[in-house]
Amino acid sequence: MTQNIVATRPATAGPATRWWREAVIYQVYVRSFADADGDGVGDLPGIRSRLPYLADLGVDALWITPFYVSPMADFGYDVADYRDVDPLFGTLDDARALVDDAHLHGLRVIVDVVPNHTSDRHPWFRAALAAAPGSPERARYVFRDGRGADGGLPPNDWESVFGGPAWTRAADGQWYLHLFAPEQPDLNWENPEVHAEFADILRFWLDLGVDGFRIDVAHGMVKAPGLPDVGHADQIEMLGTAVLPYFDQDGVHEIHRAWRELLDSYPGERIGVAEAWAPSPERLARYTRPDELHQAFNFHYLGAPWEPGRLRQIIEESLRTAGLVGAPSTWVLSNHDVKRHVTRYGGGETGLRRARAAALVMLALPGSAYVYQGEELGLPEVLDLPEEFQRDPQRGRGEDAGRDGCRVPLPWSGEAPPFGFGEGGSWLPQPEGWRDLTVEAQDADPGSTLNLYREALRIRREHPALGDGELRWLDGPSGTLAFARERDGRAVGCAVNMGDRPVRLTVGGPVLHSSGTVYRDGDTLELPSDTAVWWELS
């Protein structure tokens, strides 16, 4: 294996020691992580009870999905009160205790903020419906008169992400915009009152001690001027999520610059993370310019096929575009909105082998990585949920569009459901076959996926070459992807075999970690199909 093939050098903005530049952040989908009160739904005390698990796993921070007061039309992403906890998940005191306890365990806490829309039960929207057209109450949202002789047609041809028109008619005949469910009316970010309200919401949670925010629909708050029809403009589909032509308006960046200034006014490097669906890596990079947000989710990487040429192209493009603005790239394989990658990579034994290998590749790349709860257990997508449990509003886009299967509660222990999730069952049923995937079952098995992640995170944390920094491509056999990471006089090689037969590599130093069994004879390593390896480069 030769070296010095290609150099990819992302620029840096300020000291490379900033925690968010190389953090591994664990996503907690609150409903499905751990249930402390026995009602079958995960909650904040449940998360708190499992903080030792997360600290032992070796992650740096946890991102918690919305736990605010909500009627749950979209499982918490329809917020009725941004400054309180829904009783389903606990209390405000539970939130304080969770943040404080996480800090004692050396974990930072990132929470969701949902600024594109509120719940239709939010006091502002109730006041808007009760007020007259043209009133200050309606000016907080996007209300418009309809088209046609009697105003009976929607104001434009926009469609909801969840399917169907993006407009619903109020009782007095006006229409309101909702880019998601009708229960999620869009806010009007041309209104200064909306800006002031969300600045105060951010301060509320920063004062409580959170370390940052994941910004839901960060690309959507500002609407196209004049709300024009889009006609037959193409939609870009990324992992089943539509990047609609009226998203990613330039005006959103003024909001993010104001929020960055607010975050920087607090100690401890509080961060903002954009959930931004953009049509290109160049457009995505705009969200992480030095005076905007710290990170943006790299959905282009999440959607990469299991093919070395395309994967390398996406990695290079991600590093190049992030480097142009001085930001770290981020890497993610799964989240609560897409099918789990064990299933996307083929399912069964093949999908699991590839998922394990993909984990080592992701954790060796420069920048920050996100781990979705349960991927460290090798959980697959649950594809056969009974219809009565399939309640995701995104199913309105099509029978296979629902996200329920990636949100099934975690299996912690035992031989039968609910596998230690809680005493009252689980809000989505767990497969009986998960008995072999519980934390308890995997804990003592050195070859388990759980221990693969634990060891990878330990090496990443302790080895100076991993985390933030540079990447250098290495030459390798057909069907492989290989690169080196170097820093402070130390170097790590990473190679993955994506082909259908074993390959032989020349490695000089000791093997540090591998996703499956590898065979070594002197300086020659046999790497099986769908397997990744880390080794010390001499």
Side-chain angles (χ1 to χ4, degrees):
M1 178 175 289
T2 61
Q3 301 178 14
N4 301 311
I5 305 301
V6 177
T8 305
R9 297 177 178 270
T12 59
T17 54
R18 292 180 180 175
W19 72 270
W20 45 271
R21 294 192 63 89
E22 57 186 10
V24 176
I25 300 172
Y26 186 97
Q27 182 191 353
V28 172
Y29 188 68
V30 60
R31 297 179 65 90
S32 300
F33 188 67
D35 172 24
D37 63 6
D39 65 354
V41 177
D43 46 41
L44 298 184
I47 299 172
R48 188 182 177 196
S49 73
R50 298 294 185 175
L51 290 175
Y53 168 79
L54 296 177
D56 180 65
L57 182 61
V59 299
D60 301 292
L62 55 152
W63 150 38
I64 307 173
T65 56
F67 48 78
Y68 315 112
V69 175
S70 169
M72 303 295 166
D74 189 19
F75 300 106
Y77 283 95
D78 49 317
V79 181
D81 185 345
Y82 289 85
R83 297 178 182 84
D84 203 356
V85 175
D86 194 282
L88 185 66
F89 301 131
T91 66
L92 200 54
D93 284 342
D94 289 327
R96 291 191 183 94
L98 172 57
V99 171
D100 291 345
D101 209 8
H103 290 163
L104 291 175
H105 282 84
L107 298 166
R108 291 179 168 90
V109 178
I110 297 166
V111 299
D112 254 298
V113 64
V114 186
N116 179 70
H117 48 263
T118 71
S119 166
D120 61 352
R121 308 286 182 85
H122 191 285
W124 273 14
F125 192 70
R126 288 182 167 179
L129 290 180
S135 64
E137 291 83 1
R138 289 209 172 178
R140 296 165 173 161
Y141 293 88
V142 184
F143 277 85
R144 294 291 187 275
D145 292 330
R147 296 189 290 191
D150 60 353
L153 298 175
N156 65 23
D157 65 356
W158 292 7
E159 292 185 1
S160 162
V161 171
F162 290 164
W167 296 91
T168 289
R169 200 173 192 187
D172 60 14
Q174 272 205 318
W175 298 74
Y176 69 87
L177 179 68
H178 53 87
L179 294 181
F180 294 86
E183 297 88 351
Q184 296 169 291
D186 277 44
L187 288 158
N188 174 20
W189 276 89
E190 295 180 2
N191 188 333
E193 191 175 0
V194 175
H195 288 258
E197 170 70 357
F198 273 87
D200 190 71
I201 290 166
L202 297 186
R203 291 189 192 97
F204 177 88
W205 291 102
L206 290 167
D207 291 342
L208 187 137
V210 304
D211 299 283
F213 301 94
R214 178 264 194 186
I215 299 163
D216 186 61
V217 196
H219 56 295
M221 293 104 82
V222 172
K223 315 308 179 192
L227 308 182
D229 285 345
V230 297
H232 297 290
D234 291 335
Q235 296 183 13
I236 300 172
E237 288 283 337
M238 297 175 63
L239 293 165
T241 296
V243 183
L244 297 163
Y246 36 86
F247 277 145
D248 190 37
Q249 299 294 313
D250 289 342
V252 299
H253 298 286
E254 178 184 348
I255 300 168
H256 300 320
R257 281 191 287 272
W259 287 8
R260 175 61 180 263
E261 185 175 350
L262 189 147
L263 288 164
D264 286 348
S265 71
Y266 280 77
E269 293 189 293
R270 319 289 180 95
I271 72 168
V273 182
E275 185 226 15
W277 294 89
S280 70
E282 288 83 4
R283 293 289 300 185
L284 182 65
R286 292 163 59 88
Y287 291 83
T288 56
R289 289 177 286 194
D291 62 343
E292 293 195 38
L293 302 175
H294 299 74
Q295 296 183 347
F297 290 126
N298 188 349
F299 296 121
H300 293 87
Y301 180 77
L302 192 155
W306 190 249
E307 193 277 314
R310 181 62 179 139
L311 182 60
R312 173 169 170 166
Q313 180 185 13
I314 290 172
I315 292 171
E316 288 181 330
E317 189 71 1
S318 298
L319 293 173
R320 182 186 69 80
T321 53
L324 290 174
V325 296
S329 192
T330 64
W331 315 101
V332 60
L333 295 171
S334 284
N335 64 34
H336 68 296
D337 284 332
V338 300
K339 283 185 170 60
R340 288 187 175 274
H341 58 280
V342 167
T343 300
R344 297 202 319 271
Y345 288 153
E349 293 183 3
T350 297
L352 181 58
R353 282 199 312 272
R354 291 176 175 177
R356 288 167 59 95
L360 290 197
V361 174
M362 177 182 74
L363 293 173
L365 290 170
S368 179
Y370 281 77
V371 173
Y372 177 48
Q373 65 177 44
E375 76 173 73
E376 79 278 15
L377 303 177
L379 296 186
E381 185 84 357
V382 180
L383 299 173
D384 56 353
L385 283 170
E387 187 172 352
E388 63 266 25
F389 291 100
Q390 298 177 18
R391 294 179 288 154
D392 178 14
Q394 187 165 291
R395 287 180 58 80
R397 290 181 49 219
E399 186 176 339
D400 297 327
R403 301 165 293 180
D404 304 286
C406 65
R407 300 175 174 185
V408 173
L410 292 192
W412 291 95
S413 60
E415 296 293 320
F419 295 119
F421 172 70
E423 295 181 358
S426 59
W427 69 283
L428 288 174
Q430 302 154 307
E432 293 281 349
W434 279 14
R435 64 172 56 86
D436 297 325
L437 299 177
T438 67
V439 172
E440 181 181 58
Q442 296 194 43
D443 187 54
D445 177 6
S448 69
T449 303
L450 174 58
N451 281 314
L452 174 83
Y453 271 77
R454 282 174 174 162
E455 181 65 5
L457 291 170
R458 182 194 66 78
I459 296 170
R460 178 187 165 99
R461 185 171 58 251
E462 296 177 359
H463 201 293
L466 297 175
D468 197 16
E470 302 174 357
L471 175 149
R472 175 166 54 87
W473 293 108
L474 303 176
D475 218 2
S478 176
T480 64
L481 185 76
F483 57 88
R485 303 294 318 285
E486 298 173 275
R487 190 166 58 180
D488 298 340
R490 300 277 300 281
V492 170
C494 175
V496 58
N497 178 10
M498 296 179 165
D500 57 5
R501 61 188 63 187
V503 297
R504 298 178 73 81
L505 308 173
T506 300
V507 297
V511 170
L512 299 175
H513 202 19
S514 63
S515 65
T517 302
V518 297
Y519 306 93
R520 184 164 188 166
D521 182 8
D523 287 345
T524 300
L525 189 76
E526 183 177 283
L527 189 62
S529 177
D530 298 329
T531 304
V533 63
W534 293 354
W535 73 96
E536 189 87 29
L537 273 169
S538 55

